[in-house]
Amino acid sequence: MGIFDKLKQPAMGSTMTAGASIDNQRETFVFAALPESLAALQTLPEAALDTPFQTAALTVLALCAYAADQGIGQEMLNWLRGPRPLNGQDISFLKDRFRDGKTYLPFTYFAGSTADNNYTPTQPYTIHIESNHVSGQEQGYMKLFIPCGGADAPRPIKLRQRGSDKKWFLWEQYLLTGVRTPKAADPWA
């Protein structure tokens, strides 16, 4: 076997490391129901946090919980952030984004959710998460993208891998930016 033959072999093992080539990968996550507590979130298989895709999917669920109950959502987000819980600025940002009844924002990331149906996702709840050529450029971090029913381009989310156990945690999310107004709230619809 020559030195370049190993490049032709499929990668061994299932652990994704920061900087791994994941160009143009797409993963789909399906949930029968949305978790209503941190304990329920932690029972999901994705709670292993073994891949950045898992953590990204759970972040959407945690933001949905935040829209329904800030305390429960904050617990979930703090757990997903690992050793870096939400600070006052983060909490203020979240409150600002959900102001004026914009609790639909995180639901725009589920399949079937559009402005025309007031961002009501189809069930079971399905989330697609994508990577591209910039995803693994920064060592120790992964930037992924989640398609949004209220925007023309997928929105980014950044995750960080903890060195000690290789788990992936939420670092930054840009999921709560403006989307098309839901039909029910659009005076021009």
Side-chain angles (χ1 to χ4, degrees):
M1 177 185 259
I3 64 168
F4 294 105
D5 289 336
K6 66 182 175 187
L7 297 178
K8 298 175 189 171
Q9 303 294 322
M12 301 302 287
S14 61
T15 303
M16 181 176 292
T17 59
S21 176
I22 61 165
D23 290 0
N24 302 315
Q25 185 174 331
R26 181 179 173 122
E27 290 195 20
T28 298
F29 297 88
V30 179
F31 303 96
L34 299 177
E36 296 186 12
S37 68
L38 174 59
L41 182 81
Q42 291 171 327
T43 64
L44 297 171
E46 294 80 7
L49 307 181
D50 291 331
T51 74
F53 291 89
Q54 292 174 329
T55 306
L58 293 183
T59 298
V60 173
L61 301 184
L63 290 170
C64 290
Y66 190 92
D69 183 295
Q70 290 181 3
I72 291 171
Q74 188 172 330
E75 269 189 325
M76 291 178 179
L77 289 167
N78 280 336
W79 182 74
L80 290 168
R81 289 172 58 99
R84 194 178 71 113
L86 295 167
N87 61 35
Q89 184 178 1
D90 298 323
I91 294 166
S92 178
F93 173 81
L94 288 168
K95 287 181 179 180
D96 180 63
R97 295 301 167 178
F98 287 107
R99 187 172 292 133
D100 300 326
K102 293 184 180 174
T103 55
Y104 56 84
L105 283 173
F107 292 90
T108 64
Y109 296 97
F110 292 113
S113 181
T114 66
D116 285 340
N117 68 11
N118 299 308
Y119 298 115
T120 304
T122 55
Q123 292 188 24
Y125 299 95
T126 304
I127 304 169
H128 302 289
I129 301 175
E130 305 166 346
S131 64
N132 65 24
H133 65 284
V134 302
S135 290
Q137 287 183 337
E138 190 176 354
Q139 184 64 34
Y141 298 86
M142 193 66 63
K143 187 175 187 179
L144 299 175
F145 302 87
I146 307 176
C148 175
D152 295 331
R155 301 288 172 81
I157 182 169
K158 190 173 185 180
L159 306 122
R160 182 175 183 180
Q161 189 175 42
R162 184 165 55 194
S164 61
D165 60 6
K166 306 299 182 204
K167 301 288 184 197
W168 288 91
F169 294 93
L170 173 61
W171 189 253
E172 297 172 345
Q173 57 82 16
Y174 304 97
L175 305 178
L176 299 177
T177 55
V179 297
R180 287 184 278 278
T181 304
K183 192 173 186 175
D186 185 357
W188 296 101

Short mmCIF file of all heavy atoms in Angstrom, two decimals, residues 14 19 23 27-28 31 34-35 37 41 51 56 71-72 75 97 102 105 115 125-126 135 143 152 159 162 164 170 187:
data_model
loop_
_atom_site.label_atom_id
_atom_site.label_comp_id
_atom_site.label_asym_id
_atom_site.label_seq_id
_atom_site.Cartn_x
_atom_site.Cartn_y
_atom_site.Cartn_z
N SER A 14 -16.53 7.37 13.76
CA SER A 14 -17.66 8.27 13.56
C SER A 14 -17.49 9.59 14.30
O SER A 14 -18.35 10.43 14.26
CB SER A 14 -18.95 7.59 14.04
OG SER A 14 -18.84 7.30 15.41
N GLY A 19 -12.29 20.92 12.19
CA GLY A 19 -11.41 21.01 11.03
C GLY A 19 -11.61 19.87 10.06
O GLY A 19 -11.02 19.84 9.00
N ASP A 23 -17.50 19.39 3.82
CA ASP A 23 -18.06 20.22 2.76
C ASP A 23 -19.36 19.64 2.23
O ASP A 23 -19.46 18.45 1.95
CB ASP A 23 -17.08 20.34 1.60
CG ASP A 23 -15.86 21.18 1.96
OD1 ASP A 23 -15.79 21.65 3.09
OD2 ASP A 23 -14.98 21.34 1.09
N GLU A 27 -27.55 17.01 7.03
CA GLU A 27 -28.13 16.04 7.96
C GLU A 27 -29.55 16.49 8.28
O GLU A 27 -29.83 17.68 8.37
CB GLU A 27 -27.29 15.93 9.23
CG GLU A 27 -25.95 15.26 8.98
CD GLU A 27 -25.26 14.80 10.24
OE1 GLU A 27 -25.92 14.64 11.29
OE2 GLU A 27 -24.04 14.59 10.18
N THR A 28 -30.41 15.50 8.47
CA THR A 28 -31.81 15.76 8.77
C THR A 28 -32.13 15.15 10.13
O THR A 28 -31.75 14.02 10.43
CB THR A 28 -32.71 15.14 7.68
OG1 THR A 28 -32.40 15.77 6.44
CG2 THR A 28 -34.18 15.34 8.00
N PHE A 31 -38.14 14.97 14.90
CA PHE A 31 -38.60 14.90 16.28
C PHE A 31 -40.12 14.74 16.29
O PHE A 31 -40.83 15.51 15.67
CB PHE A 31 -38.21 16.17 17.04
CG PHE A 31 -36.73 16.44 17.02
CD1 PHE A 31 -36.20 17.31 16.09
CD2 PHE A 31 -35.88 15.81 17.91
CE1 PHE A 31 -34.83 17.56 16.05
CE2 PHE A 31 -34.51 16.05 17.88
CZ PHE A 31 -33.99 16.92 16.94
N LEU A 34 -41.79 18.33 20.56
CA LEU A 34 -40.79 19.26 21.06
C LEU A 34 -40.62 19.05 22.56
O LEU A 34 -41.60 18.93 23.28
CB LEU A 34 -41.22 20.71 20.79
CG LEU A 34 -41.42 21.08 19.32
CD1 LEU A 34 -41.91 22.51 19.19
CD2 LEU A 34 -40.14 20.88 18.54
N PRO A 35 -39.37 19.00 23.04
CA PRO A 35 -39.15 18.79 24.48
C PRO A 35 -39.62 20.00 25.28
O PRO A 35 -39.42 21.14 24.87
CB PRO A 35 -37.63 18.61 24.58
CG PRO A 35 -37.07 19.27 23.37
CD PRO A 35 -38.11 19.14 22.30
N SER A 37 -38.88 20.35 28.64
CA SER A 37 -38.01 20.56 29.80
C SER A 37 -36.59 20.18 29.42
O SER A 37 -36.37 19.49 28.41
CB SER A 37 -38.47 19.69 30.98
OG SER A 37 -38.25 18.32 30.67
N LEU A 41 -35.18 17.22 26.87
CA LEU A 41 -34.17 17.48 25.83
C LEU A 41 -33.00 16.51 25.98
O LEU A 41 -32.50 15.95 24.99
CB LEU A 41 -33.68 18.93 25.92
CG LEU A 41 -32.67 19.36 24.87
CD1 LEU A 41 -33.37 19.72 23.57
CD2 LEU A 41 -31.86 20.57 25.36
N THR A 51 -21.76 15.36 17.54
CA THR A 51 -21.48 16.07 16.29
C THR A 51 -22.01 17.49 16.40
O THR A 51 -22.96 17.74 17.15
CB THR A 51 -22.14 15.38 15.07
OG1 THR A 51 -23.56 15.63 15.10
CG2 THR A 51 -21.85 13.89 15.02
N ALA A 56 -26.59 21.70 16.87
CA ALA A 56 -27.33 22.71 16.12
C ALA A 56 -28.82 22.40 16.12
O ALA A 56 -29.66 23.29 16.33
CB ALA A 56 -26.80 22.80 14.69
N GLY A 71 -37.73 30.68 31.02
CA GLY A 71 -36.94 29.96 32.02
C GLY A 71 -36.49 28.60 31.53
O GLY A 71 -35.31 28.23 31.65
N ILE A 72 -37.42 27.84 30.96
CA ILE A 72 -37.08 26.50 30.46
C ILE A 72 -36.13 26.62 29.27
O ILE A 72 -35.14 25.89 29.18
CB ILE A 72 -38.37 25.73 30.08
CG1 ILE A 72 -39.17 25.39 31.34
CG2 ILE A 72 -38.03 24.46 29.29
CD1 ILE A 72 -40.55 24.84 31.08
N GLU A 75 -32.64 27.38 30.47
CA GLU A 75 -32.00 26.17 31.01
C GLU A 75 -31.41 25.31 29.89
O GLU A 75 -30.28 24.83 29.98
CB GLU A 75 -33.02 25.32 31.78
CG GLU A 75 -33.16 25.61 33.23
CD GLU A 75 -34.04 24.55 33.89
OE1 GLU A 75 -35.02 24.05 33.28
OE2 GLU A 75 -33.74 24.21 35.05
N ARG A 97 -35.28 39.80 20.74
CA ARG A 97 -35.67 39.12 19.51
C ARG A 97 -37.10 38.59 19.57
O ARG A 97 -37.77 38.49 18.55
CB ARG A 97 -34.71 37.97 19.19
CG ARG A 97 -33.32 38.42 18.87
CD ARG A 97 -33.34 39.35 17.68
NE ARG A 97 -32.06 40.03 17.57
CZ ARG A 97 -31.75 40.87 16.62
NH1 ARG A 97 -32.63 41.15 15.70
NH2 ARG A 97 -30.59 41.43 16.60
N LYS A 102 -42.91 37.87 18.45
CA LYS A 102 -42.14 37.15 17.43
C LYS A 102 -41.72 35.75 17.90
O LYS A 102 -40.63 35.28 17.59
CB LYS A 102 -40.94 37.97 16.99
CG LYS A 102 -41.35 39.24 16.27
CD LYS A 102 -40.18 40.01 15.75
CE LYS A 102 -40.66 41.26 15.03
NZ LYS A 102 -39.56 42.11 14.64
N LEU A 105 -40.23 32.93 15.45
CA LEU A 105 -38.90 32.93 14.82
C LEU A 105 -38.20 31.56 14.80
O LEU A 105 -37.76 31.13 13.74
CB LEU A 105 -37.99 33.98 15.48
CG LEU A 105 -38.25 35.42 15.07
CD1 LEU A 105 -37.41 36.37 15.90
CD2 LEU A 105 -37.97 35.62 13.60
N ALA A 115 -44.13 31.68 5.63
CA ALA A 115 -44.90 32.87 6.02
C ALA A 115 -46.38 32.66 5.71
O ALA A 115 -47.25 33.10 6.46
CB ALA A 115 -44.36 34.10 5.30
N TYR A 125 -41.65 17.14 13.46
CA TYR A 125 -40.79 18.31 13.31
C TYR A 125 -39.47 17.89 12.67
O TYR A 125 -38.76 17.05 13.20
CB TYR A 125 -40.53 18.94 14.68
CG TYR A 125 -41.78 19.41 15.36
CD1 TYR A 125 -42.45 18.60 16.28
CD2 TYR A 125 -42.31 20.66 15.08
CE1 TYR A 125 -43.61 19.03 16.90
CE2 TYR A 125 -43.47 21.11 15.71
CZ TYR A 125 -44.11 20.28 16.61
OH TYR A 125 -45.26 20.71 17.22
N THR A 126 -39.16 18.50 11.53
CA THR A 126 -37.97 18.11 10.76
C THR A 126 -37.07 19.32 10.56
O THR A 126 -37.54 20.38 10.14
CB THR A 126 -38.39 17.53 9.40
OG1 THR A 126 -39.28 16.43 9.63
CG2 THR A 126 -37.20 17.05 8.61
N SER A 135 -17.32 25.74 6.56
CA SER A 135 -17.77 25.18 7.84
C SER A 135 -16.63 24.83 8.79
O SER A 135 -16.70 25.14 9.97
CB SER A 135 -18.65 23.96 7.60
OG SER A 135 -19.88 24.37 7.05
N LYS A 143 -18.95 25.92 11.69
CA LYS A 143 -20.03 26.83 11.29
C LYS A 143 -20.96 26.07 10.37
O LYS A 143 -20.55 25.60 9.31
CB LYS A 143 -19.44 28.05 10.57
CG LYS A 143 -20.45 29.13 10.27
CD LYS A 143 -19.74 30.34 9.67
CE LYS A 143 -20.67 31.51 9.51
NZ LYS A 143 -19.98 32.68 8.94
N ASP A 152 -34.35 33.76 2.34
CA ASP A 152 -33.87 33.19 1.08
C ASP A 152 -32.62 32.34 1.25
O ASP A 152 -32.32 31.50 0.40
CB ASP A 152 -33.61 34.29 0.06
CG ASP A 152 -34.89 35.01 -0.33
OD1 ASP A 152 -35.97 34.38 -0.28
OD2 ASP A 152 -34.81 36.20 -0.68
N LEU A 159 -20.53 26.36 16.38
CA LEU A 159 -20.40 25.44 17.50
C LEU A 159 -18.92 25.27 17.83
O LEU A 159 -18.06 25.42 16.97
CB LEU A 159 -21.06 24.11 17.12
CG LEU A 159 -22.50 24.39 16.67
CD1 LEU A 159 -22.72 23.89 15.29
CD2 LEU A 159 -23.49 23.90 17.65
N ARG A 162 -15.32 20.84 22.69
CA ARG A 162 -14.54 20.81 23.93
C ARG A 162 -13.46 19.76 23.77
O ARG A 162 -13.75 18.62 23.40
CB ARG A 162 -15.45 20.51 25.12
CG ARG A 162 -14.72 20.56 26.45
CD ARG A 162 -15.64 20.61 27.64
NE ARG A 162 -16.59 19.52 27.64
CZ ARG A 162 -17.66 19.48 28.43
NH1 ARG A 162 -17.92 20.48 29.25
NH2 ARG A 162 -18.49 18.47 28.39
N SER A 164 -11.58 18.11 25.98
CA SER A 164 -11.48 16.99 26.92
C SER A 164 -12.35 15.79 26.54
O SER A 164 -11.94 14.65 26.73
CB SER A 164 -11.84 17.46 28.33
OG SER A 164 -13.17 17.95 28.37
N LEU A 170 -22.91 24.93 21.75
CA LEU A 170 -23.33 26.14 21.08
C LEU A 170 -22.36 27.27 21.42
O LEU A 170 -22.08 27.53 22.59
CB LEU A 170 -24.75 26.52 21.52
CG LEU A 170 -25.29 27.86 21.05
CD1 LEU A 170 -25.37 27.92 19.52
CD2 LEU A 170 -26.66 28.11 21.68
N PRO A 187 -50.22 43.21 7.23
CA PRO A 187 -51.37 43.99 6.80
C PRO A 187 -51.48 44.08 5.27
O PRO A 187 -52.54 44.44 4.75
CB PRO A 187 -51.11 45.38 7.40
CG PRO A 187 -49.64 45.44 7.62
CD PRO A 187 -49.20 44.03 7.88
#
